[in-house]
Amino acid sequence: MSANMATSSRQHPADNHDLIRVQGARENNLKDVSVEIPKRRLTVFTGVSGSGKSSLVFATIAAESQRLINETYSTFVQGFMPTQSRPEVDVLEGLTTAIIVDQERMGANSRSTVGTATDANAMLRVLFSRLGKPHIGSSNAFSFNIPSVRAVGQISVEKGAGKTETRDLTVTGGMCPRCEGMGAVTDIDLSQLYDDSKSLNEGALTIPGYTADGWQVRIYSASGFLDPDKPIRKYTKQERHDFLHKEPTKVKVGNMNLTYEGLIPRIQKSFLSKDVDALQPHIRAFVERAVTFTSCPECGGTRLNAAARSSKIKGINIAEACAMQINDLAEWVRGLNEPSVAPLLATLRHTLDSFVEIGLGYLSLDRPSGTLSGGEAQRTKMIRHLGSSLTDVTYVFDEPTIGLHPHDIQRMNDLLLRLRDKGNTVLVVEHKPETIAIADHVVDLGPRAGTAGGEVVFEGTVEGLRASGTLTGRHLNDRTALKQSVRTPSGVMKVRGARTHNLKGVDVDIPLGVLVVVTGVAGSGKSSLIHGSVCGRDGVVSVDQAPIHGSRRSNPATYTGLLEPIRKAFAKANGVKPALFSANSEGACPTCNGAGVIYTDLAMMAGVTTICEECEGRRFQASVLDYRLGGRNIAEVLDLSVEDAVGFFGTGEAHTPAAHAILRRMADVGLGYLRLGQPLTTLSGGERQRLKLATHMGADGGVYVLDEPTTGLHLADLEQLLGLLDRLVDSGKSVIVIEHHQAVMAHADWIIDLGPGAGHDGGRIVFEGTPANLVAAGSTLTGEHLAAFVGGPKAVPSRSRQPVARGRAAAVHVEAEAARTDHDEDGAQRGARRRRR
């Protein structure tokens, strides 16, 4: 009996695999990292931006898991999959299937919407094909991705007794024929292409590169179709057609045979068919001026043809259902009770309820997925996993709290814990203390960023992290005090009747010359207000959340424009051409074409990368490396860190003011550790965001708009960001920040809080005033969370301590102050009534 008891108490061999073991990880900046991660627990990875968190979690653990899964398929199937090389690591044991939920934007396809990305649209299409009146066909008849032209074929139907009958088969899609399912049509503003009061020879064309004596215009002048000396407004109907729309036609210009083509198709091919972000700035500006996007007049922007819009369920067609706010759509679906489609309705209800549960109930299914923020995209990807029956899966999240108001972070935490409690391993890269606090296990990387990081500095519990003395541990309980005095505005920027997206005719005066923070729950209308009514104005420099992309050849020096003054300085010092000092031009190593490495394609197997033997990875020809500036060659300069380069280009023989100014901005945003020639593909999301900020800081403008600059920022770096914002304001700039982080709110001179909820429950200004007034009023969700963050109300700054504004600005300021005081009192009264209830 005792032997039986001993056998039963002994652990089964299958239960021994309760750890993910990593030994000797060397991806990017990792320095032989070894770590043991408990399975079926929530592990949070912390550390400053660039310390190696993503390199360990995504580039090592998740990448190897996905590579091993891909290898289970046949080589034929693998040929259709992206090939992945094995990460630089000695041992990886205990891996399970990894599901990556990252911040990558969704919807490279312009027809991708929230509904199509989550299968909710597909379920609605089936629902309308079953219940819609009148019945117009299968689910394809409600799809804006399938053309509505009729394709007729034949099928043979067996009738029995060896007889068959041939029938016509008609397949019809739901795509609007006018806009081809895009919902919008493009139109070219001809006034931006030419000045019709001038002739071609007088320089009528105002398109970049189309000068009167240029080759592009010469084709039109010498074609014989047009009179080059006649003003365009005097063209005959035929001449105008030939000028604008003529199909490609062979013509002879001098001794050369060329192709003449109308101006509009030529512009469409040369400018409009290319990625706008890849165009040069002056060409991008031209495209944005010349092309207008208007809602399709035939489908009204619904993307669907008339037949698809005619079929309804309870008076609602599928376009109207997709345009509804998701929490309203969920209620509408709950009201449908049809036994014939009961399983479909149950699944659709669960999907829509998941949107509401995850805090995205304010979206609509017809929202283009490319317009979602990084945080919204990540949460949308979570939808399909919330009801999954899979267990023992590794879920990998990249800062899931991005774009979330403090009120919504608790909801996200609950979802992470639910995934864990189902028996899954949850790995989270995160900076927010609210999410770090719920971790079962913490891995802190550092001690710093870049080459100064890449080591595990702590591994254990949250309480152990607080007592560890690491950079993260020391700052985990950081709180920022409210400002005791705030700056006085130099004027106001008026916004009147703003109605972008969910805004309800918002009127607001945004103070200038101060630090303004615009806040509110996710979906309350912050970005709609600022990007819709402020960013398009003259003198406004906007740093949005759009990610920056770069190839292996792109690096901080090329992205920021730093390489240009460096090349010119080398050329001037050595009396040669600047092109020699570009690895993408004449100075490139001929063996690797300036890449520094040789890529060998192995078909369905992962490719092999080897250092170029000719240049030894330095990317330049040997003769180019003989030229020096300040004792260094171009390869050695590109290997400098930003901090070292600041000193190198600041004084001495290499003194280059243009390069020094760019480097100072990079150091100001906390990127002093980056190497100038480090490939952009190796930078983390937070590093790319700050690199973008450093680039825009050099733009000439009086108002800076920053969209969540704390994204990817460690707690220890907040002080540096706040100092940067202060320096911008003190230099005479106006700074408007869209932000959720309480430390930034507490540091503001003025807060504009939108809400009270999201979607159609938001879109209103619920508070305007100083942070101290917001905490004292306690009338909004933001105010409650800010009060908890700073530890309670502080003294309201005294107006008498502020300098008195003069002249016209003073009158505006006094008028605005009176309105704001009334608003604050109303807010305080609302808060008191709410507390009494």
Side-chain angles (χ1 to χ4, degrees), residues 648-678:
F648 180 72
F649 288 105
T651 57
E653 181 189 343
H655 179 57
T656 309
H660 188 258
I662 296 173
L663 289 163
R664 283 296 334 157
R665 292 198 294 269
M666 293 173 67
D668 282 345
V669 297
L671 296 178
Y673 58 89
L674 283 188
R675 288 185 298 106
L676 304 186
Q678 185 174 337

mmCIF file of all heavy atoms in Angstrom, residues 648-678:
data_model
loop_
_atom_site.group_PDB
_atom_site.id
_atom_site.type_symbol
_atom_site.label_atom_id
_atom_site.label_comp_id
_atom_site.label_asym_id
_atom_site.label_seq_id
_atom_site.Cartn_x
_atom_site.Cartn_y
_atom_site.Cartn_z
ATOM 1 N N PHE A 648 32.046 64.739 -31.618
ATOM 2 C CA PHE A 648 32.903 64.688 -32.802
ATOM 3 C C PHE A 648 32.578 65.816 -33.778
ATOM 4 O O PHE A 648 33.483 66.489 -34.301
ATOM 5 C CB PHE A 648 32.742 63.325 -33.479
ATOM 6 C CG PHE A 648 33.578 63.143 -34.715
ATOM 7 C CD1 PHE A 648 34.951 62.986 -34.629
ATOM 8 C CD2 PHE A 648 32.990 63.128 -35.970
ATOM 9 C CE1 PHE A 648 35.732 62.805 -35.770
ATOM 10 C CE2 PHE A 648 33.748 62.956 -37.116
ATOM 11 C CZ PHE A 648 35.120 62.796 -37.012
ATOM 12 N N PHE A 649 31.281 66.049 -34.035
ATOM 13 C CA PHE A 649 30.881 67.074 -34.998
ATOM 14 C C PHE A 649 30.679 68.445 -34.354
ATOM 15 O O PHE A 649 30.351 69.413 -35.042
ATOM 16 C CB PHE A 649 29.594 66.659 -35.727
ATOM 17 C CG PHE A 649 29.793 65.543 -36.710
ATOM 18 C CD1 PHE A 649 29.371 64.253 -36.412
ATOM 19 C CD2 PHE A 649 30.418 65.771 -37.928
ATOM 20 C CE1 PHE A 649 29.554 63.209 -37.313
ATOM 21 C CE2 PHE A 649 30.614 64.741 -38.837
ATOM 22 C CZ PHE A 649 30.188 63.457 -38.529
ATOM 23 N N GLY A 650 30.833 68.509 -33.017
ATOM 24 C CA GLY A 650 30.608 69.774 -32.336
ATOM 25 C C GLY A 650 31.801 70.704 -32.341
ATOM 26 O O GLY A 650 31.640 71.932 -32.347
ATOM 27 N N THR A 651 33.004 70.151 -32.344
ATOM 28 C CA THR A 651 34.217 70.982 -32.287
ATOM 29 C C THR A 651 35.301 70.370 -33.169
ATOM 30 O O THR A 651 35.153 69.264 -33.688
ATOM 31 C CB THR A 651 34.760 71.067 -30.841
ATOM 32 O OG1 THR A 651 35.014 69.737 -30.366
ATOM 33 C CG2 THR A 651 33.778 71.774 -29.924
ATOM 34 N N GLY A 652 36.382 71.092 -33.317
ATOM 35 C CA GLY A 652 37.558 70.569 -34.012
ATOM 36 C C GLY A 652 37.425 70.563 -35.515
ATOM 37 O O GLY A 652 36.569 71.238 -36.103
ATOM 38 N N GLU A 653 38.273 69.755 -36.133
ATOM 39 C CA GLU A 653 38.330 69.711 -37.594
ATOM 40 C C GLU A 653 37.014 69.232 -38.210
ATOM 41 O O GLU A 653 36.632 69.646 -39.292
ATOM 42 C CB GLU A 653 39.466 68.762 -38.014
ATOM 43 C CG GLU A 653 39.658 68.632 -39.511
ATOM 44 C CD GLU A 653 40.628 67.528 -39.872
ATOM 45 O OE1 GLU A 653 41.390 67.075 -38.985
ATOM 46 O OE2 GLU A 653 40.628 67.110 -41.041
ATOM 47 N N ALA A 654 36.300 68.344 -37.501
ATOM 48 C CA ALA A 654 35.048 67.785 -38.028
ATOM 49 C C ALA A 654 33.837 68.639 -37.702
ATOM 50 O O ALA A 654 32.705 68.211 -37.939
ATOM 51 C CB ALA A 654 34.853 66.372 -37.482
ATOM 52 N N HIS A 655 34.047 69.839 -37.163
ATOM 53 C CA HIS A 655 32.921 70.693 -36.768
ATOM 54 C C HIS A 655 31.971 70.916 -37.948
ATOM 55 O O HIS A 655 32.352 71.473 -38.976
ATOM 56 C CB HIS A 655 33.437 72.039 -36.269
ATOM 57 C CG HIS A 655 32.335 72.985 -35.871
ATOM 58 N ND1 HIS A 655 31.393 72.673 -34.924
ATOM 59 C CD2 HIS A 655 32.030 74.245 -36.308
ATOM 60 C CE1 HIS A 655 30.556 73.684 -34.781
ATOM 61 N NE2 HIS A 655 30.917 74.645 -35.611
ATOM 62 N N THR A 656 30.714 70.416 -37.800
ATOM 63 C CA THR A 656 29.692 70.532 -38.848
ATOM 64 C C THR A 656 28.388 70.943 -38.182
ATOM 65 O O THR A 656 27.666 70.103 -37.626
ATOM 66 C CB THR A 656 29.507 69.185 -39.589
ATOM 67 O OG1 THR A 656 30.787 68.687 -40.016
ATOM 68 C CG2 THR A 656 28.592 69.348 -40.790
ATOM 69 N N PRO A 657 28.029 72.244 -38.201
ATOM 70 C CA PRO A 657 26.835 72.707 -37.477
ATOM 71 C C PRO A 657 25.552 71.987 -37.872
ATOM 72 O O PRO A 657 24.728 71.665 -37.008
ATOM 73 C CB PRO A 657 26.781 74.199 -37.845
ATOM 74 C CG PRO A 657 28.201 74.560 -38.164
ATOM 75 C CD PRO A 657 28.792 73.347 -38.796
ATOM 76 N N ALA A 658 25.350 71.723 -39.180
ATOM 77 C CA ALA A 658 24.117 71.080 -39.628
ATOM 78 C C ALA A 658 23.984 69.679 -39.034
ATOM 79 O O ALA A 658 22.904 69.278 -38.575
ATOM 80 C CB ALA A 658 24.086 71.017 -41.156
ATOM 81 N N ALA A 659 25.082 68.916 -39.031
ATOM 82 C CA ALA A 659 25.055 67.567 -38.456
ATOM 83 C C ALA A 659 24.902 67.631 -36.939
ATOM 84 O O ALA A 659 24.166 66.842 -36.339
ATOM 85 C CB ALA A 659 26.337 66.819 -38.830
ATOM 86 N N HIS A 660 25.579 68.592 -36.314
ATOM 87 C CA HIS A 660 25.519 68.713 -34.857
ATOM 88 C C HIS A 660 24.102 69.013 -34.378
ATOM 89 O O HIS A 660 23.648 68.482 -33.347
ATOM 90 C CB HIS A 660 26.483 69.817 -34.401
ATOM 91 C CG HIS A 660 26.631 69.897 -32.916
ATOM 92 N ND1 HIS A 660 25.995 70.847 -32.147
ATOM 93 C CD2 HIS A 660 27.341 69.116 -32.041
ATOM 94 C CE1 HIS A 660 26.305 70.664 -30.878
ATOM 95 N NE2 HIS A 660 27.123 69.631 -30.786
ATOM 96 N N ALA A 661 23.367 69.849 -35.133
ATOM 97 C CA ALA A 661 21.999 70.198 -34.737
ATOM 98 C C ALA A 661 21.092 68.967 -34.758
ATOM 99 O O ALA A 661 20.278 68.759 -33.844
ATOM 100 C CB ALA A 661 21.448 71.269 -35.681
ATOM 101 N N ILE A 662 21.218 68.127 -35.794
ATOM 102 C CA ILE A 662 20.397 66.913 -35.879
ATOM 103 C C ILE A 662 20.757 65.952 -34.751
ATOM 104 O O ILE A 662 19.881 65.355 -34.111
ATOM 105 C CB ILE A 662 20.590 66.235 -37.257
ATOM 106 C CG1 ILE A 662 20.089 67.157 -38.374
ATOM 107 C CG2 ILE A 662 19.870 64.893 -37.312
ATOM 108 C CD1 ILE A 662 20.396 66.659 -39.779
ATOM 109 N N LEU A 663 22.048 65.817 -34.482
ATOM 110 C CA LEU A 663 22.496 64.912 -33.418
ATOM 111 C C LEU A 663 22.011 65.367 -32.045
ATOM 112 O O LEU A 663 21.652 64.551 -31.194
ATOM 113 C CB LEU A 663 24.023 64.820 -33.433
ATOM 114 C CG LEU A 663 24.620 64.066 -34.623
ATOM 115 C CD1 LEU A 663 26.100 64.373 -34.764
ATOM 116 C CD2 LEU A 663 24.404 62.560 -34.448
ATOM 117 N N ARG A 664 21.979 66.690 -31.814
ATOM 118 C CA ARG A 664 21.490 67.213 -30.538
ATOM 119 C C ARG A 664 20.021 66.827 -30.333
ATOM 120 O O ARG A 664 19.614 66.458 -29.225
ATOM 121 C CB ARG A 664 21.631 68.746 -30.498
ATOM 122 C CG ARG A 664 23.001 69.290 -30.245
ATOM 123 C CD ARG A 664 23.605 68.973 -28.904
ATOM 124 N NE ARG A 664 22.671 68.722 -27.812
ATOM 125 C CZ ARG A 664 22.974 68.030 -26.744
ATOM 126 N NH1 ARG A 664 24.167 67.486 -26.615
ATOM 127 N NH2 ARG A 664 22.116 67.850 -25.785
ATOM 128 N N ARG A 665 19.240 66.911 -31.404
ATOM 129 C CA ARG A 665 17.822 66.554 -31.300
ATOM 130 C C ARG A 665 17.658 65.066 -30.996
ATOM 131 O O ARG A 665 16.789 64.679 -30.210
ATOM 132 C CB ARG A 665 17.081 66.921 -32.589
ATOM 133 C CG ARG A 665 16.982 68.413 -32.826
ATOM 134 C CD ARG A 665 15.906 68.740 -33.837
ATOM 135 N NE ARG A 665 16.229 68.235 -35.163
ATOM 136 C CZ ARG A 665 16.878 68.925 -36.095
ATOM 137 N NH1 ARG A 665 17.296 70.156 -35.820
ATOM 138 N NH2 ARG A 665 17.111 68.413 -37.286
ATOM 139 N N MET A 666 18.491 64.221 -31.609
ATOM 140 C CA MET A 666 18.424 62.782 -31.325
ATOM 141 C C MET A 666 18.795 62.497 -29.879
ATOM 142 O O MET A 666 18.183 61.638 -29.221
ATOM 143 C CB MET A 666 19.341 62.021 -32.293
ATOM 144 C CG MET A 666 18.883 62.073 -33.744
ATOM 145 S SD MET A 666 20.078 61.353 -34.894
ATOM 146 C CE MET A 666 20.009 59.629 -34.421
ATOM 147 N N ALA A 667 19.794 63.201 -29.363
ATOM 148 C CA ALA A 667 20.175 63.022 -27.963
ATOM 149 C C ALA A 667 19.071 63.515 -27.036
ATOM 150 O O ALA A 667 18.813 62.907 -25.982
ATOM 151 C CB ALA A 667 21.481 63.760 -27.672
ATOM 152 N N ASP A 668 18.392 64.600 -27.419
ATOM 153 C CA ASP A 668 17.337 65.176 -26.585
ATOM 154 C C ASP A 668 16.171 64.217 -26.386
ATOM 155 O O ASP A 668 15.490 64.264 -25.355
ATOM 156 C CB ASP A 668 16.811 66.483 -27.211
ATOM 157 C CG ASP A 668 17.752 67.648 -26.949
ATOM 158 O OD1 ASP A 668 18.626 67.520 -26.072
ATOM 159 O OD2 ASP A 668 17.616 68.682 -27.631
ATOM 160 N N VAL A 669 15.885 63.367 -27.379
ATOM 161 C CA VAL A 669 14.759 62.434 -27.249
ATOM 162 C C VAL A 669 15.202 61.095 -26.664
ATOM 163 O O VAL A 669 14.444 60.122 -26.670
ATOM 164 C CB VAL A 669 14.047 62.212 -28.608
ATOM 165 C CG1 VAL A 669 13.454 63.495 -29.121
ATOM 166 C CG2 VAL A 669 14.997 61.602 -29.637
ATOM 167 N N GLY A 670 16.432 61.036 -26.148
ATOM 168 C CA GLY A 670 16.882 59.838 -25.448
ATOM 169 C C GLY A 670 17.458 58.756 -26.328
ATOM 170 O O GLY A 670 17.442 57.575 -25.961
ATOM 171 N N LEU A 671 17.983 59.124 -27.500
ATOM 172 C CA LEU A 671 18.558 58.128 -28.407
ATOM 173 C C LEU A 671 20.083 58.249 -28.486
ATOM 174 O O LEU A 671 20.678 57.891 -29.504
ATOM 175 C CB LEU A 671 17.952 58.278 -29.815
ATOM 176 C CG LEU A 671 16.453 58.013 -29.934
ATOM 177 C CD1 LEU A 671 15.981 58.249 -31.355
ATOM 178 C CD2 LEU A 671 16.122 56.577 -29.508
ATOM 179 N N GLY A 672 20.700 58.744 -27.442
ATOM 180 C CA GLY A 672 22.145 58.955 -27.460
ATOM 181 C C GLY A 672 22.952 57.690 -27.632
ATOM 182 O O GLY A 672 24.111 57.733 -28.037
ATOM 183 N N TYR A 673 22.351 56.519 -27.326
ATOM 184 C CA TYR A 673 23.081 55.263 -27.393
ATOM 185 C C TYR A 673 23.067 54.628 -28.788
ATOM 186 O O TYR A 673 23.813 53.689 -29.063
ATOM 187 C CB TYR A 673 22.480 54.265 -26.394
ATOM 188 C CG TYR A 673 21.012 53.996 -26.650
ATOM 189 C CD1 TYR A 673 20.626 52.981 -27.513
ATOM 190 C CD2 TYR A 673 20.024 54.761 -26.044
ATOM 191 C CE1 TYR A 673 19.284 52.737 -27.758
ATOM 192 C CE2 TYR A 673 18.691 54.528 -26.282
ATOM 193 C CZ TYR A 673 18.323 53.515 -27.142
ATOM 194 O OH TYR A 673 16.997 53.286 -27.395
ATOM 195 N N LEU A 674 22.187 55.112 -29.691
ATOM 196 C CA LEU A 674 22.080 54.499 -31.014
ATOM 197 C C LEU A 674 23.339 54.744 -31.839
ATOM 198 O O LEU A 674 23.946 55.807 -31.766
ATOM 199 C CB LEU A 674 20.882 55.083 -31.786
ATOM 200 C CG LEU A 674 19.474 54.618 -31.444
ATOM 201 C CD1 LEU A 674 18.499 55.175 -32.458
ATOM 202 C CD2 LEU A 674 19.375 53.115 -31.397
ATOM 203 N N ARG A 675 23.719 53.754 -32.647
ATOM 204 C CA ARG A 675 24.792 53.958 -33.611
ATOM 205 C C ARG A 675 24.213 54.592 -34.873
ATOM 206 O O ARG A 675 23.091 54.270 -35.287
ATOM 207 C CB ARG A 675 25.457 52.627 -33.966
ATOM 208 C CG ARG A 675 26.315 52.050 -32.853
ATOM 209 C CD ARG A 675 27.038 50.800 -33.315
ATOM 210 N NE ARG A 675 26.133 49.732 -33.695
ATOM 211 C CZ ARG A 675 25.894 49.366 -34.961
ATOM 212 N NH1 ARG A 675 26.496 49.989 -35.968
ATOM 213 N NH2 ARG A 675 25.075 48.387 -35.230
ATOM 214 N N LEU A 676 24.954 55.501 -35.491
ATOM 215 C CA LEU A 676 24.431 56.233 -36.650
ATOM 216 C C LEU A 676 24.107 55.302 -37.811
ATOM 217 O O LEU A 676 23.177 55.553 -38.566
ATOM 218 C CB LEU A 676 25.461 57.284 -37.115
ATOM 219 C CG LEU A 676 25.924 58.303 -36.078
ATOM 220 C CD1 LEU A 676 26.811 59.352 -36.739
ATOM 221 C CD2 LEU A 676 24.735 58.965 -35.400
ATOM 222 N N GLY A 677 24.871 54.216 -37.959
ATOM 223 C CA GLY A 677 24.655 53.313 -39.076
ATOM 224 C C GLY A 677 23.880 52.063 -38.725
ATOM 225 O O GLY A 677 23.822 51.120 -39.515
ATOM 226 N N GLN A 678 23.235 52.036 -37.565
ATOM 227 C CA GLN A 678 22.471 50.864 -37.145
ATOM 228 C C GLN A 678 21.226 50.704 -38.015
ATOM 229 O O GLN A 678 20.454 51.654 -38.176
ATOM 230 C CB GLN A 678 22.070 51.037 -35.673
ATOM 231 C CG GLN A 678 21.375 49.832 -35.066
ATOM 232 C CD GLN A 678 21.142 50.026 -33.578
ATOM 233 O OE1 GLN A 678 21.832 50.813 -32.936
ATOM 234 N NE2 GLN A 678 20.186 49.302 -33.032
#
